[in-house]
Amino acid sequence: DTAVSQTPKYLVTQMGNDKSIKCEQNLGHDTMYWYKQDSKKFLKIMFSYNNKELIINETVPNRFSPKSPDKAHLNLHINSLELGDSAVYFCASSDHEKLFFGSGTQLSVL
Amino acid sequence: DAKTTQPTSMDCAEGRAANLPCNHSTISGNEYVYWYRQIHSQGPQYIIHGLKNNETNEMASLIITEDRKSSTLILPHATLRDTAVYYCIVRVRGYDMRFGAGTRLTVKP
């Protein structure tokens, strides 16, 4: 029973398209995150949600919009995809002591 | 949050202890030392954390110096599956983790 699950695992799309990545956690945590890991392997925090409320937005372009329908879900919608958006996106949840990560979504923008 | 400095890479022989150092000379009194690792293509995995005292769990031991300016993560009997990038993070709280470049540990047969 996966604790933090993301779908899809791979996403290949054309520039200019709009796409979404879904994340669900069954750990009962109040806080969820999106991280981006680029080709140089740096892992950067993008967003943090606590009880469906946006807490952190780390200077991410407006084309990225997180949505949290309930505290177990945090989806990431990306508009007008650009080549530079190609990366691995990780969802995570926290019990305020440690983070639990999903297995990642590899996004390739062509 | 305090910054951390880790070696870029390290090697370790299989079955031997892997000792991964981390410097955090500007750490504040209420900041914890966290360790995560990322095995190739997977999401980062929590290993251990501590404030002042040394800590041990089923994965590793964390040794924090008395002045708290540095720490060492110890994997007592490294296996090939421990090959990963290891991140040392200093943080007041247990969330909003910000990852640096980490140490790439290669365990060799």
Side-chain angles (χ1 to χ4, degrees):
Chain A
D1 203 19
T2 306
V4 181
S5 58
Q6 307 178 216
T7 54
K9 188 167 176 61
Y10 300 98
L11 188 51
V12 181
T13 188
Q14 300 286 331
M15 263 195 324
N17 284 350
D18 303 338
K19 290 293 178 186
S20 293
I21 306 171
K22 295 186 176 181
C23 179
E24 176 181 4
Q25 55 97 2
N26 62 6
L27 299 168
H29 294 161
D30 292 336
T31 305
M32 295 183 72
Y33 303 84
W34 279 107
Y35 282 81
K36 178 182 179 181
Q37 189 164 40
D38 60 25
S39 56
K40 294 183 180 177
K41 303 300 183 185
F42 289 113
L43 193 61
K44 291 184 181 177
I45 191 169
M46 299 173 69
F47 299 103
S48 163
Y49 265 75
N50 183 265
N51 274 321
K52 302 193 298 175
E53 195 175 322
L54 181 64
I55 303 297
I56 293 174
N57 180 344
E58 286 286 310
T59 58
V60 177
N62 292 337
R63 299 182 294 103
F64 290 79
S65 53
K67 287 188 171 50
S68 182
D70 55 61
K71 69 176 193 178
H73 295 84
L74 181 62
N75 304 323
L76 183 65
H77 189 76
I78 315 169
N79 289 328
S80 304
L81 278 155
E82 300 178 357
L83 293 176
D85 298 332
S86 295
V88 181
Y89 292 84
F90 289 100
C91 176
S93 71
S94 171
D95 62 0
H96 296 233
E97 192 168 83
K98 54 188 115 158
L99 290 176
F100 298 80
F101 282 84
S103 56
T105 296
Q106 186 169 329
L107 172 63
S108 299
V109 182
L110 308 178
Chain B
D1 297 313
K3 291 190 175 177
T4 62
T5 304
Q6 299 178 251
T8 303
S9 63
M10 293 181 64
D11 291 342
C12 176
E14 190 178 18
R16 304 296 293 271
N19 298 292
L20 292 96
C22 180
N23 286 322
H24 31 78
S25 57
T26 59
I27 192 170
S28 301
N30 60 348
E31 288 183 311
Y32 289 78
V33 180
Y34 287 85
W35 284 85
Y36 283 78
R37 74 179 182 183
Q38 188 174 22
I39 297 170
H40 180 64
S41 300
Q42 297 180 21
Q45 176 190 25
Y46 166 84
I47 301 172
I48 199 167
H49 75 284
L51 183 64
K52 289 192 266 193
N53 300 322
N54 298 337
E55 302 287 344
T56 295
N57 63 20
E58 65 280 1
M59 289 182 71
S61 294
L62 174 60
I63 308 297
I64 303 174
T65 58
E66 198 169 333
D67 63 8
R68 302 187 69 238
K69 292 185 177 183
S70 65
S71 59
T72 302
L73 178 75
I74 301 173
L75 308 177
H77 305 287
T79 71
L80 298 179
R81 287 178 296 181
D82 292 321
T83 292
V85 178
Y86 287 77
Y87 299 97
C88 169
I89 303 166
V90 171
R91 196 76 186 161
V92 172
R93 300 164 298 180
Y95 47 105
D96 303 350
M97 292 290 163
R98 290 152 200 269
F99 292 76
T103 296
R104 180 171 296 278
L105 174 70
T106 303
V107 180
K108 299 187 172 182

